[in-house]
Structure formats: C-alpha cells, structure tokens
Amino acid sequence: MILVLRALGVGDLATAVPALRGLRAAYPGETLSLAAPAWLTPLIRTIGAVDRIVPAAELEPLDAAPARPGLAVNLHGSGPESHRRLQALRPGALWAFASRAAGHHDGPGWLDDEHEVRRWCRMVRYYGVACDESDLDLHVPDADVPAGVTIIHPGAKSPARRWPADRFASVARRLVTAGHRVLVTGSPQEHDLCVRVAGLAGLPPEAVPRTGLAELAALVAGARLVICGDTGIAHLATAYRTPSVVLFGPVSPERWGPPAGRPRHRALWHGTRSERGDLPGPVHPALLAITPDEVLAAATGALAASKEERHAAAAQ
C-alpha cells in the first residue's frame, strides 16, 4: 500500500494532482491511500487516482492510517513535522524532501520560490516516477447547478489575500450591466462577506448560493468566468479550463498562479517579492494596487482567449 500525505486545502490538493497521478501510473497494482481532510472527499473523487481516503488534519497524528505502509509519500511539506507523522507509521520507505531535523537525508532539496505543481512533480521524479505538470484537469461532479454564470469569489483564508468587498462589488455590478449572470460564492464562514458584496453590487439574495464542495466544483466547471483572489477556487478554474482572473497579493503567481501558456487564465500582481500567504492582515499593498478597471480588462482578455481556443479546436 502507498500512503500519501496532503492534509491541506482545495488549492493544495489541486496542485498535487499531477504528482498523485504519476504515482498511480507508476504503481497500478498498489492501493493508493491519501491522508487528507474528510471534507475534501468530493474533490478527491474527481482526481481518479485515489483508492482510499484516510481522514487527516494538518500536522496531526495519522491515527486513521494503517501502520507500516509499504511506501509513504510526503506531499505535505518540507518537514520535519510532516515527515515525523509518516515516520511514526514505520513505512517500508519514505519519499520526501531531505530534512536533517527529521533524520531523512534522502530526497531532493527544498526550493522556496518553486511553483507548487512543479515542486511535487520534482520530488516524485527524484524517486523515478514520471510526472506531467500539465495534468491538472479534474472530473466534473454530478451536481444540479446552473451553467454559464460568472462567479465572483471574494474570500480567502488570510485577510492579506482578500481584495476589498467594494471593489469586488464594483466589478460584479459592471459585469451585470454587460450581460453576465453573476453569482457570489464562498465558504460557510464567508457567507456574510458574500452577502455584503452582493448587496453592494445590487444583486438579489439568490445570487449568493450555499454550495458544498461538489456543487462549487460543478459550478466552476460550467461557468462562463471566475474572478477571485489567490485561493482554492482559482485552482478549480484551472482544472476545468474555465476563464479566470486571479488577484494576487503577498504571494507571487510564480508560486501559486495558473500554468503558463493558458491565456484564458489571467493572474494580476503588482508585488516585487513573494511573501507568506497566511499573513493575518491588513490587505496586502500589492493586492490593493489592483483596480476594478484592470480586473475587467483582464476578464475581457480571458474570455477572448477562451473563444479563440474553442474556435481553433473546432477548426482542427
């Protein structure tokens, strides 16, 4: 059995998909278990590479995991804490970044400025597993959601990554004027923020749907456009090739942005160096430097690029 640790959030899971699929292809006869938060189950099922989900919280003991897996793979972090969680299971082998503090001297070295998708592909390649960094697509969950909507997603885990509500509302209002059907989405904890954005934009209450993770993924898959901050839904837009505009603040898109060569995904950033993404606030100056006009121009470009890609595909 192979046990993979990735006990983080939506974006973290999405960026590990190529590495997970590489492991699946390399070991087709092995049971591949993923230690991750149980609430991610609907999204994990869309990957198509995982046989078993082991409920796990970030850097907590892996009490639900079987002891002595044949192979443990750390797609969680650089160690030592995450390494030790897997070492405690006494696996036959541990694949991870080198960590002197954890006593794990094998593995490649950690690079701070590396893109998250490339990071985990590089790690599994070190151990001989082929990995396609462009293999980011996800299956679409079976959920009854409207198609063709434009999604405004104002929330983010840290305050430093939340563009002001009035600016999101300005963008939403102008998109409605241009003929878009706008929905404002967020987690249950972000519902009040979504209601505020919708109210400022003059949208009706039904423009703020309450969605579970499966419904949100299906909504993104069928959407016309996604506008959001540097957070999980941006990676869903990439996974479903939905035109998107992603607003970055403390973290550079070179680390967490959409893949290069996909003009339907636009990353906006006015920073000079990448910082921690979990800053408590206030809103990062690089994020405040982004204007509604800039977002709308990027949205127009993303939609135009998507249209060109569809026409080119139809002509082949």
Side-chain angles (χ1 to χ4, degrees):
M1 188 196 81
I2 300 171
L3 176 66
V4 180
L5 175 63
R6 188 68 169 169
L8 295 162
V10 170
D12 307 277
L13 177 64
T15 54
V17 165
L20 286 167
R21 288 187 175 143
L23 288 165
R24 172 77 289 159
Y27 296 97
E30 293 283 349
T31 297
L32 195 154
S33 298
L34 178 62
W39 63 269
L40 282 174
T41 295
L43 193 60
I44 294 170
R45 289 173 176 160
T46 69
I47 299 172
V50 177
D51 300 307
R52 178 185 172 192
I53 300 168
V54 176
E58 184 174 357
L59 298 181
E60 294 293 324
L62 298 170
D63 295 333
R68 299 186 180 183
L71 172 63
V73 182
N74 187 354
L75 298 184
H76 187 94
S78 61
E81 293 88 350
S82 53
H83 288 42
R84 290 170 180 156
R85 297 304 179 207
L86 290 170
Q87 288 168 335
L89 300 175
R90 299 169 66 188
L94 172 63
W95 289 5
F97 282 102
S99 172
R100 180 178 299 178
H104 182 73
H105 303 291
D106 186 22
W110 182 269
L111 302 175
D112 283 337
D113 293 331
E114 191 169 27
H115 192 282
E116 194 71 3
V117 173
R118 188 171 304 115
R119 182 190 310 287
W120 302 113
C121 285
R122 180 171 65 88
M123 198 271 280
V124 298
R125 285 181 188 133
Y126 175 89
Y127 292 99
V129 170
C131 193
D132 180 1
E133 294 176 20
S134 68
D135 189 10
L136 296 163
D137 294 0
L138 297 174
H139 302 300
V140 182
D142 184 11
D144 184 16
V145 295
V149 302
T150 288
I151 298 171
I152 299 286
H153 193 92
K157 188 174 181 180
S158 68
R161 290 187 281 132
R162 296 178 199 145
W163 203 45
D166 61 328
R167 299 194 195 183
F168 272 117
S170 175
V171 169
R173 188 165 52 248
R174 291 163 68 179
L175 287 171
V176 169
T177 300
H180 291 245
R181 180 188 174 189
V182 174
L183 297 183
V184 185
T185 63
S187 68
Q189 295 78 19
E190 295 164 345
H191 183 71
D192 289 347
L193 172 61
C194 296
V195 169
R196 182 182 174 209
V197 169
L200 290 170
L203 299 174
E206 55 267 27
V208 184
R210 292 185 181 270
T211 57
L213 187 52
E215 290 79 16
L216 179 63
L219 197 64
V220 171
R224 178 181 182 182
L225 173 69
V226 172
I227 297 177
C228 63
D230 170 23
T231 192
I233 194 172
H235 300 279
L236 295 182
T238 294
Y240 293 119
R241 301 178 183 262
T242 300
S244 62
V245 180
V246 188
L247 287 58
F248 285 83
V251 179
S252 166
E254 291 295 320
R255 294 187 62 179
W256 283 92
R262 295 194 188 186
R264 68 172 62 196
H265 306 301
R266 303 295 172 101
L268 301 179
W269 189 55
H270 294 300
T272 57
R273 62 185 178 89
S274 194
E275 302 175 43
R276 290 179 61 95
D278 57 356
L279 299 173
V283 182
H284 195 273
L287 192 54
L288 288 174
I290 300 172
T291 67
D293 284 343
E294 187 178 4
V295 172
L296 288 162
T300 298
L303 289 168
S306 178
K307 184 177 181 179
E308 288 177 7
E309 289 178 21
R310 292 196 303 271
H311 286 170
Q316 291 180 353

